[in-house]
Amino acid sequence: MTRFTETADHLSWGRTLRLQHRVARPVFRQDVPATLAEGLSTLPTLLATGLRRSYGDSILNPAGGIVDMAGVDRMIAFDPETRILKADAGLSFDALLKAMVPRGLFPPVSPGTRFVTLGGAVANDVHGKNHHGAGTIGRWIRRLGLLRSDGVEHELTPGDPDGLFAATIGGLGLTGIITWVEIELMPISGALMDVETIPFDDLDGFFRLSAESEASHDYTVAWIDCLATGDKTGRGIFSRARHATGGELSAGKGGGPTFPVELPSIALNRFSIRAFNAIYDWNGRRTAGRAMQHYQPFFYPLDAIGQWNRMYGHPGMYQYQSVVPPAAARDATAAMLAAIAAAGEGSFLAVIKTFGDRPSPGLLSFPRLGTTLALDFPNRGGSTMALLARLDAIVREAGGRLYPAKDGRMPRDMFRAGYPDWERFAAHVDPRFSSLFWTRVGS
Amino acid sequence: MTTIAPAAGRRLRLVVLGGTSGIAEATARLYAAEGAEILLVGRQEDRLAAIAADLKVRGAARAEVAIADLAAPGDAAVALAGFAGTLGGIDHILVAYGILGDQAEAARDPAAAERILAVNFTSASAWCLAAANLLEAQGQGSLVVLGSVAGDRGRRQNFVYGAAKAGLAALVEGIAHRFAAKGPRAVLVKPGPTITPMTEGMQRKGFTWAKPEDVAAVVRRAADKGGPVVYAPWFWRYIMLIIRFLPAPIFNRLDI
Ligand SMILES: NC(=O)c1ccc[n+]([C@@H]2O[C@H](COP(=O)([O-])OP(=O)(O)OC[C@H]3O[C@@H](n4cnc5c(N)ncnc54)[C@H](OP(=O)(O)O)[C@@H]3O)[C@@H](O)[C@H]2O)c1
């Protein structure tokens, strides 16, 4: 029987909260029902987690227990005709890519790291740089298994009339344990990407490039220098790409070096962040143009350094990812950049992208038509919180919302205003499942 | 030591004794990515089948399952010949099954101690001896056996288990000696603490804890080249060197 073990190591990616957790680590799908039953016999609630790339408290459940699904990581069946892969929820994108790229197949949607599980990707309805064409990953899920606290394992499909599928896609694990997933993969003919890098001087430049690239390129994303001021405000580097045709189908190398220790928090200060942004900008302009790049550095640049989050030291970091509707996008983005520059609290990497109009299938899915801006901030306590509150005001004014997977502090009313379907969602939440995030905003 | 590879164009055929072991599964995934033909032997059919299905999607040309209580080998030579029949031959044999057991219980109850010795030493020896004969007869192939750093010096915490692994180490070293300059290889891999079901529930913090993938990479390499005793990860060779040479008065005061 799988035991629940007390541990101080169950941290989310932002590392701002360090709480004791009781964690069970089943290894086989067959073990999961017994793990669930054992957990519920002594703990008030459970929550399944994956590779813990969520930044905030949506994967914490200190009052209950955690079922760490990362060890339940087997592929169950693959049908080359339909391109449908059935796999355990704990399978990582990394393992999926290693097995599927040599066959000329690719995930239809890739988040910014390949160290996420399928279950985690579904539970957060993740998006990628091809959102304008492909939508979220939930659109590519054909079936999934969901084990509820009553011990019944449901097989859910997109057409599911009672809405449990729509609640589970993007449902932050609150509807039960996702046990397996069927996903439709996408054909590719080579492992390389045909990437074009174009500097822009201001926000209008970004929006122009974005609009013109959506029809021509599968993947678009931009980095923006959120510390630039004066006539450099809004400068950045736009990148657009397609899968190259032909070439080798190599899955690429494994991981690179790992960040060994937490840096002292002094290491990331406004000077080092400003220097980083300046170098990034300089390098982007220097290397602008068209180039072939392996898919790994294109999709997963940060995976080259394992545990890069330790760079933020013991206090950890906050991510802040918003989406605002198109009409307000230009002004809201400018206002956020101005607020960040005024506060002098630089973001190491600010990433901006326009989302397309493909509807997200989940009741709590984050992506919607508009512009999304992702920022990360070293946790400096009060001053960081004050800046994030100012950003909240801008996002709310614009009718936008924040991404729960990245969040560790959004106010309850902001969550509810941003996710008008939240009450319909709440009706599907399993009464014996919870998270710190949900106790904060939902219940 | 010569490097053993199957004849050109031939796929490697691997037999895993203890197919559900965490370390063995991680190793089998490396073989699968090379397109090997794999036979998993163990007790739990549904779990072995789940692993085999996964190995096939990961690239294994074949992944078969055989059910056996490995602690009761009966005639190990006959059983191994049967496994070889399934795959049409054997290139690599990985002996991975084992139990940690409960040291406190083993101190109280001779039957519990005997169980630890029977699984980790007596039965494993029978498989290794039969495998040695099979590999020697065919003149090629690798026998890779999972020992443990616990076999390097008896410690109060787990010395019955350690004694079994120490015995197994001497046996495999002897087979490697017998093979010297003959073609086949025998290697004992000694993992340090590894995050698998065997150590579930222990406090697993710090650099000394390895992931099964890390150990698997060492195991896979050991099947092709290197000396007869390999530590996984490598630094355990030096840690154990120090621990083995600590004078008893110092060693006795350590809580390790
Ligand atoms: N994990 C560590 O820290 C560590 C350190 C040093 C050495 N090792 C050694 O490495 C090897 C693999 O260990 P692991 O960590 O991968 O452990 P594991 O995941 O617990 O695997 C041990 C396996 O042995 C099998 N087994 C036990 N008794 C058996 C029997 N009578 N018949 C058939 N199969 C039997 C179990 O099969 P069932 O599924 O049927 O129970 C299980 O799959 C072991 O020899 C262990 O001693 C491990």
Side-chain angles (χ1 to χ4, degrees):
Chain A
M1 190 166 246
T2 315
R3 280 167 291 179
F4 282 78
T5 319
E6 189 84 32
T7 172
D9 274 354
H10 186 82
L11 304 184
S12 61
W13 197 247
R15 301 167 75 88
T16 54
L17 291 174
R18 290 162 196 259
L19 304 166
Q20 284 286 323
H21 277 87
R22 280 155 296 221
V23 182
R25 296 180 186 82
V27 172
F28 289 92
R29 204 149 38 86
Q30 292 92 320
D31 299 334
V32 179
T35 306
L36 174 98
E38 188 198 326
L40 291 176
S41 69
T42 53
L43 301 165
T45 61
L46 293 177
L47 181 71
T49 60
L51 286 167
R52 285 181 276 138
R53 258 48 178 193
S54 293
Y55 286 74
D57 52 359
S58 66
I59 55 166
L60 304 181
N61 189 28
I66 296 286
V67 180
D68 177 347
M69 290 290 284
V72 185
D73 66 345
R74 291 175 195 83
M75 292 180 257
I76 301 166
F78 172 66
D79 180 349
E81 293 294 307
T82 58
R83 299 195 303 270
I84 290 177
L85 171 70
K86 179 178 186 183
D88 289 345
L91 182 77
S92 70
F93 272 56
D94 185 50
L96 186 156
L97 287 159
K98 282 200 183 109
M100 293 298 160
V101 169
R103 292 184 155 97
L105 292 161
F106 208 75
V109 168
S110 284
T113 163
R114 62 188 194 277
F115 300 112
V116 295
T117 62
L118 270 181
V122 169
N124 292 283
D125 198 13
V126 299
H127 59 271
K129 300 173 186 178
N130 61 350
H131 181 271
H132 56 278
T136 63
I137 196 128
R139 298 172 60 87
W140 302 88
I141 303 303
R142 298 295 168 249
R143 276 194 314 162
L144 59 84
L146 183 74
L147 180 64
R148 308 262 292 173
S149 62
D150 57 10
V152 178
E153 185 170 356
H154 300 251
E155 197 174 297
L156 304 177
T157 54
D160 157 48
D162 81 352
L164 193 51
F165 181 87
T168 299
I169 303 290
L172 303 169
L174 296 164
T175 60
I177 300 181
I178 299 171
T179 47
W180 55 268
V181 171
E182 272 184 22
I183 180 172
E184 183 181 330
L185 302 175
M186 171 179 84
I188 52 169
S189 69
L192 295 182
M193 306 297 298
D194 180 352
V195 185
E196 195 176 352
T197 308
I198 311 166
F200 55 87
D201 295 325
D202 52 29
L203 275 183
D204 291 326
F206 163 76
F207 282 102
R208 210 177 315 116
L209 278 166
S210 203
E212 100 186 20
S213 306
E214 275 178 13
S216 57
H217 289 75
D218 301 328
Y219 299 94
T220 67
V221 70
W223 163 83
I224 199 161
D225 184 351
C226 60
L227 281 171
T229 48
D231 64 353
K232 296 207 166 68
T233 305
R235 74 172 177 182
I237 310 285
F238 192 87
S239 135
R240 56 189 188 188
R242 320 180 173 95
H243 290 279
T245 42
E248 235 184 275
L249 284 165
S250 81
K253 283 269 164 271
T258 290
F259 223 85
V261 289
E262 288 180 343
L263 277 194
S265 41
I266 192 82
L268 270 200
N269 53 45
R270 66 183 59 180
F271 302 106
S272 62
I273 292 176
R274 192 179 295 278
F276 174 82
N277 277 272
I279 289 169
Y280 197 96
D281 184 73
W282 170 77
N283 192 48
R285 282 168 205 272
R286 191 177 61 88
T287 57
R290 253 179 97 168
M292 293 296 225
Q293 191 179 22
H294 189 260
Y295 79 82
Q296 268 191 7
F298 175 75
F299 282 102
Y300 316 112
L302 290 174
D303 287 348
I305 304 166
Q307 298 281 313
W308 59 264
N309 53 343
R310 290 185 183 158
M311 179 176 78
Y312 288 90
H314 194 76
M317 60 164 318
Y318 284 101
Q319 263 262 345
Y320 190 89
Q321 185 167 358
S322 58
V323 58
V324 292
R330 167 75 185 67
D331 292 348
T333 307
M336 283 194 269
L337 292 179
I340 295 164
E345 299 254 344
S347 165
F348 208 56
L349 262 189
V351 175
I352 185 168
K353 157 149 189 75
T354 47
F355 282 151
D357 59 5
R358 306 282 190 273
S360 300
L363 292 176
L364 232 54
S365 294
F366 164 67
R368 50 150 296 163
L369 182 65
T371 299
T372 182
L373 179 65
L375 306 157
D376 48 45
F377 300 99
N379 175 19
R380 300 213 178 93
S383 65
T384 308
M385 288 302 163
L387 170 61
L388 298 184
R390 281 197 290 284
L391 300 180
D392 283 353
I394 298 166
V395 173
R396 294 178 75 152
E397 170 75 24
R401 64 189 178 203
L402 300 182
Y403 192 0
K406 305 287 180 82
D407 177 64
R409 35 70 56 202
M410 80 167 98
R412 174 189 296 243
D413 54 343
M414 181 161 184
F415 168 76
R416 295 180 175 188
Y419 292 89
D421 282 332
W422 81 271
E423 276 173 305
R424 274 173 65 210
F425 169 76
H428 290 288
V429 170
D430 188 303
R432 300 293 302 278
F433 277 70
S434 192
S435 65
L436 205 52
F437 174 82
W438 188 243
T439 46
R440 207 156 54 70
V441 306
S443 51
Chain B
M1 285 274 159
T2 38
T3 297
I4 299 305
R10 201 129 189 21
R11 296 195 184 97
L12 272 181
R13 294 155 303 186
L14 167 74
V15 172
V16 183
L17 302 186
T20 48
S21 129
I23 294 172
E25 184 178 13
T27 309
R29 287 177 177 182
L30 299 178
Y31 279 93
E34 297 171 24
E37 300 180 44
I38 302 169
L39 173 64
L40 305 171
V41 189
R43 294 183 290 197
Q44 306 199 64
E45 188 161 13
D46 60 337
R47 276 139 227 254
L48 291 165
I51 295 171
D54 174 66
L55 293 176
K56 274 187 246 175
V57 186
R58 286 177 196 256
R62 272 178 84 185
E64 308 288 336
V65 162
I67 308 307
D69 179 354
L70 296 165
D75 190 334
V78 171
L80 265 189
F83 302 152
T86 304
L87 291 183
I90 300 182
D91 299 298
H92 293 181
I93 302 171
L94 174 62
V95 180
Y97 73 99
I99 55 171
L100 188 53
D102 180 336
Q103 174 67 35
E105 197 191 338
R108 280 193 311 271
D109 174 5
E114 202 179 307
R115 178 80 193 149
I116 295 173
L117 294 168
V119 174
N120 295 313
F121 178 70
T122 317
S123 66
S125 299
W127 290 110
C128 290
L129 290 166
N133 291 343
L134 184 142
L135 297 183
E136 196 173 67
Q138 67 186 33
Q140 69 94 14
S142 298
L143 168 66
V144 183
V145 181
L146 297 185
S148 171
V149 294
D152 279 11
R153 184 161 188 176
R155 290 176 297 129
R156 60 175 86 93
Q157 193 188 309
N158 61 8
F159 64 81
V160 176
Y161 170 79
K165 291 294 191 185
L168 191 60
L171 185 101
V172 175
E173 279 181 295
I175 295 172
H177 194 206
R178 169 179 150 194
F179 281 171
K182 277 196 185 151
R185 291 173 55 70
V187 191
L188 184 81
V189 178
K190 297 182 182 180
T194 309
I195 302 171
T196 71
M198 185 172 277
T199 55
E200 189 57 54
M202 297 184 186
Q203 280 302 322
R204 304 196 278 206
K205 269 185 98 140
F207 78 96
T208 56
W209 282 91
K211 293 207 275 297
E213 304 87 86
D214 305 334
V215 176
V218 176
V219 173
R220 177 66 194 89
R221 213 175 319 114
D224 285 340
K225 49 178 177 281
V229 176
V230 178
Y231 287 78
W234 58 271
F235 54 76
W236 279 103
R237 177 179 296 278
Y238 303 97
I239 296 179
M240 294 319 295
L241 190 70
I242 294 166
I243 290 184
R244 262 184 295 137
F245 286 103
L246 280 180
I250 297 177
F251 182 70
N252 291 346
R253 264 183 277 138
L254 294 179
D255 189 26
I256 53 173

